[in-house]
C-alpha cells in the first residue's frame, strides 16, 4: 500500500505544504536536496554505516513471556528502540537529517522537542557531525523532562525555553519555524516527527522506516512469519509510521496506533486527535487537529510530553480514514500501570510514551488468540521520566 503521491506531498487528501511566503525558499531548497539525496547510493551507505557503528542498529527484538502471562495475552515481542544510542527512535531521523543538512552545506541545525528525546538525538547528531545545535523547548516540558535538558547542554546544544502559549511542544515548533525563517541561509530545521509541511513527513518516515524493515526481518527469523498485530504510540507519529512501514502492504498484519487519552474526554483533557475527528491545518500540514468550535487550536493534556501535541502526521490521517490502521487512546493512569507492570515483570523501564501502546495491549490481550504474535514498538526508555514517576509515588 503506497501512501505517498509522487511530488505533491499528499497522503490521500492529507499533507501538503501550507507555509508563509518567507519559508518558500528554504522549503524549495530542501525538496530539491531531498529528491536528489534520497536516491543517492553514497548518502544511504554513509547513513547506514553511522546507524550501525554509532547508533547501534539493528536494535533488539525481545519476547516478554512474563508480561504476556500476567495480562493473559498471546506471544508479545518488543522492538527495542529504547536500546538505541540516546535512548529512543528519534536518533534515526536526527542522524539522517543532520547528514542531509551537512550535504546541503548548512552549519547550524535547529530543532523542537517535547519529551526531549528528539532534542537529545539532534544534539548528539550535531556533536558527532560537527554542527552547531539549537533546541527550542517549552518551559513546561523543560521542567518535566529536566534530565534530557541536561543531556542536551552537555553535548553542546543551546536549549531555548519557550514561555508563551501552553509552553509545550506546539509552541516550541512555532519558535523553531520563526528562527528558520530568519536563518535558513546557514541553518537546517530538523523537524522531529512525521508531520509539518512537505517534504518533512516523507523525510522523517523514510529515516524511521528502518524500524519496520528490521522488525519484518526479525519476525521472519524468530517466529518464521509476519506478526498478527503491531502496536505503537502516536504523538506526531514517527515511531508508529516507522514500524507500520514494514507491514503496510501486508493486509494480514493488523496495525494499531495509541494516542494520549490524558485524564478526561473533554477538549483540553487529552491529546487524542482522532477522537473528535476534526480536520484542519497546523504547522504547514492538513490533517486531524484538536480545535475548538471556532477553529482555534485547542490545548492538550497528557502525562507524556512526547504525545502532548494537537495534530497528527498526514500518513496516519490517511491510514485512519482508509481504515488500514486503527487508532485508540490510553489514559495517563493506564499508561502508568503498564509502565510499572513491564518494569516489574521484565526488568525494562520504558518511556511514558511507549507505555501507552502497552496499556492498550493490556486491555485487549485476553481477547486475542493465544497463537497470535504481537509486536509493540518500545519507542524509548524511561530514564527521562523518573523524576515525574517519583512524584507519582512509583
Amino acid at each position: 500500500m503506497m501512501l505517498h503521491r509522487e511530488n505533491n506531498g499528499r497522503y490521500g487528501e492529507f499533507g501538503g505544504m501550507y507555509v508563509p511566503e518567507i519559508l518558500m525558499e528554504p522549503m524549495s531548497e530542501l525538496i530539491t536536496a531531498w529528491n536528489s539525496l534520497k536516491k543517492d547510493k553514497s548518502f544511504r551507505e554513509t547513513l547506514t554505516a553511522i546507524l550501525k557503528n554509532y547508533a547501534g542498529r539493528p536494535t533488539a527484538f525481545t519476547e516478554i513471556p512474563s508480561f504476556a502471562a500476567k495480562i493473559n495475552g498471546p506471544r508479545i515481542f518488543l522492538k527495542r528502540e529504547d536500546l538505541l544510542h540516546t535512548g529512543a527512535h528519534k536518533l534515526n531521523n536526527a542522524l539522517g537529517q543532520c547528514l542531509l543538512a551537512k550535504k546541503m552545506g548548512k552549519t547550524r541545525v535547529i530543532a523542537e522537542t517535547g519529551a526531549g528525546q528528539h532534542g537529545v538525538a539532534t544534539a548528539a547528531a550535531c556533536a558527532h557531525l560537527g554542527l552547531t545545535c539549537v533546541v527550542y523547548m517549552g518551559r513546561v516540558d523543560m521542567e518535566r523532562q529536566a534530565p534530557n535538558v541536561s543531556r542536551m547542554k552537555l553535548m553542546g546544544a543551546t536549549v531555548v525555553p519557550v514561555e508563551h502559549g501552553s509552553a509545550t511542544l506546539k509552541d516550541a515548533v512555532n519558535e523553531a519555524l520563526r528562527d528558520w525563517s530568519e536563518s535558513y541561509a546557514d541553518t537546517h530545521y530538523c523537524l522531529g516527527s512525521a508531520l509539518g509541511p512537505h517534504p518533512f513527513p516523507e523525510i522523517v518516515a523514510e529515516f524511521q522506516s528502518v524500524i519496520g524493515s528490521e522488525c519484518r526481518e526479525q519476525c521472519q527469523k524468530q517466529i518464521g512469519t509476519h506478526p498478527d498485530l503491531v502496536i505503537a504510540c502516536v504523538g506526531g507519529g514517527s515511531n508508529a509510521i516507522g514500524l507500520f512501514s514494514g507491514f503496510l502492504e501486508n493486509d494480514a498484519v493488523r496495525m494499531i496506533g495509541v494516542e494520549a487519552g490524558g485524564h478526561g474526554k473533554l477538549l483540553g483533557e487529552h491529546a487524542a486527535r482522532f477522537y473528535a475527528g476534526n480536520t484542519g491545518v497546523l504547522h504547514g500540514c492538513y490533517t486531524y487537529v484538536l480545535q475548538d468550535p471556532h477553529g482555534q487550536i485547542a490545548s492538550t493534556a497528557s502525562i507524556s510530553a512526547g504525545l502532548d501535541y494537537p495534530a497528527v502526521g498526514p500518513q496516519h490521517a490517511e491510514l485512519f480514514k482508509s481504515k488500514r490502521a486503527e487508532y485508540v487512546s490510553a489514559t495517563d493512569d493506564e499508561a502508568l500501570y503498564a509502565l510499572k507492570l513491564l518494569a516489574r515483570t521484565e526488568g525494562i523501564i520504558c518511556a511514558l510514551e511507549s507505555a501507552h501502546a502497552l496499556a492498550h495491549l493490556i486491555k485487549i490481550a485476553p481477547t486475542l488468540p493465544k497463537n497470535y504474535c504481537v509486536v509493540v514498538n518500545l519507542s524509548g526508555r524511561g530514564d527521562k521520566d523518573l523524576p515525574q514517576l517519583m512524584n507519582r509515588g512509583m
Side-chain angles (χ1 to χ4, degrees):
M1 179 180 181
M2 298 301 291
L3 289 181
H4 184 248
R5 291 181 185 171
E6 192 67 28
N7 297 326
N8 71 358
R10 293 280 180 175
Y11 302 84
E13 67 187 85
F14 303 102
M17 185 173 67
Y18 300 84
V19 296
E21 187 175 351
I22 196 170
L23 285 177
M24 288 303 295
E25 184 174 342
M27 294 305 305
S28 177
E29 180 188 24
L30 179 60
I31 289 170
T32 299
W34 171 242
N35 285 339
S36 172
L37 285 171
K38 70 182 179 182
K39 302 170 184 174
D40 185 272
K41 183 180 178 182
S42 175
F43 176 81
R44 287 188 169 276
E45 288 177 346
T46 300
L47 178 58
T48 297
I50 295 173
L51 288 171
K52 177 183 177 182
N53 300 316
Y54 176 72
R57 300 213 72 90
T59 57
F61 188 67
T62 306
E63 186 165 10
I64 47 171
S66 297
F67 182 89
K70 194 74 174 179
I71 65 173
N72 190 25
R75 295 186 73 184
I76 302 171
F77 297 82
L78 302 178
K79 180 58 177 154
R80 300 292 304 280
E81 295 302 290
D82 60 309
L83 295 180
L84 197 67
H85 177 50
T86 71
H89 71 290
K90 294 293 186 181
L91 189 63
N92 301 318
N93 170 58
L95 284 169
Q97 284 204 52
C98 287
L99 186 61
L100 173 64
K102 198 161 185 175
K103 293 286 187 180
M104 293 173 67
K106 308 298 182 181
T107 58
R108 177 176 179 265
V109 171
I110 58 174
E112 86 299 328
T113 195
Q117 285 301 123
H118 174 57
V120 169
T122 305
C126 285
H128 186 62
L129 295 171
L131 299 165
T132 300
C133 181
V134 177
V135 179
Y136 289 93
M137 191 172 189
R139 174 65 71 183
V140 170
D141 290 337
M142 289 183 70
E143 291 171 357
R144 61 181 174 176
Q145 302 289 289
N148 275 344
V149 176
S150 298
R151 294 169 74 197
M152 285 181 261
K153 291 179 177 178
L154 188 60
M155 288 185 284
T158 299
V159 184
V160 180
V162 178
E163 308 278 0
H164 62 264
S166 59
T168 56
L169 181 57
K170 169 177 67 70
D171 311 289
V173 174
N174 288 337
E175 285 304 305
L177 286 169
R178 288 192 185 98
D179 182 323
W180 197 35
S181 70
E182 300 170 356
S183 63
Y184 59 79
D186 67 350
T187 298
H188 172 68
Y189 175 25
C190 183
L191 203 156
S193 198
L195 43 77
H198 175 65
F200 282 114
E202 180 186 341
I203 290 173
V204 178
E206 177 64 27
F207 289 143
Q208 294 295 359
S209 67
V210 65
I211 300 171
S213 59
E214 279 184 11
C215 184
R216 186 176 61 243
E217 293 172 7
Q218 289 167 324
C219 284
Q220 286 294 334
K221 185 176 181 179
Q222 289 189 226
I223 64 178
T225 185
H226 58 75
D228 297 287
L229 169 63
V230 295
I231 307 178
C233 64
V234 179
S238 64
N239 95 89
I241 207 63
L243 177 66
F244 292 175
S245 68
F247 307 98
L248 280 174
E249 297 183 25
N250 186 346
D251 290 338
V253 180
R254 182 182 172 195
M255 304 188 300
I256 300 178
V258 187
E259 300 183 285
H263 59 265
K265 293 188 175 181
L266 297 177
L267 199 62
E269 295 179 346
H270 60 82
R273 287 66 50 99
F274 295 118
Y275 178 73
N278 293 318
T279 56
V281 174
L282 180 63
H283 295 140
C285 175
Y286 178 70
T287 184
Y288 285 87
V289 182
L290 287 172
Q291 52 193 321
D292 67 20
H294 304 290
Q296 298 300 304
I297 303 302
S299 59
T300 55
S302 173
I303 194 172
S304 166
L307 303 185
D308 197 5
Y309 183 71
V312 67
Q315 296 108 314
H316 291 292
E318 174 59 17
L319 288 171
F320 170 76
K321 187 166 185 180
S322 67
K323 299 183 179 179
R324 174 63 184 92
E326 305 162 50
Y327 293 86
V328 297
S329 63
T331 67
D332 291 348
D333 288 344
E334 289 167 343
L336 284 166
Y337 174 77
L339 186 153
K340 185 175 180 179
L341 185 64
L342 182 67
R344 296 288 174 86
T345 58
E346 299 287 350
I348 299 171
I349 302 173
C350 70
L352 278 167
E353 289 80 8
S354 310
H356 285 70
L358 290 167
H360 182 69
L361 178 56
I362 290 171
K363 283 188 276 190
I364 66 172
T367 70
L368 300 174
K370 288 295 179 284
N371 62 349
Y372 244 46
C373 286
V374 179
V375 176
V376 178
N377 197 37
L378 213 66
S379 59
R381 66 183 185 222
D383 308 39
K384 67 185 179 59
D385 298 315
L386 289 177
Q388 206 172 349
L389 296 172
M390 294 306 103
N391 290 337
R392 289 267 186 155
M394 295 183 71

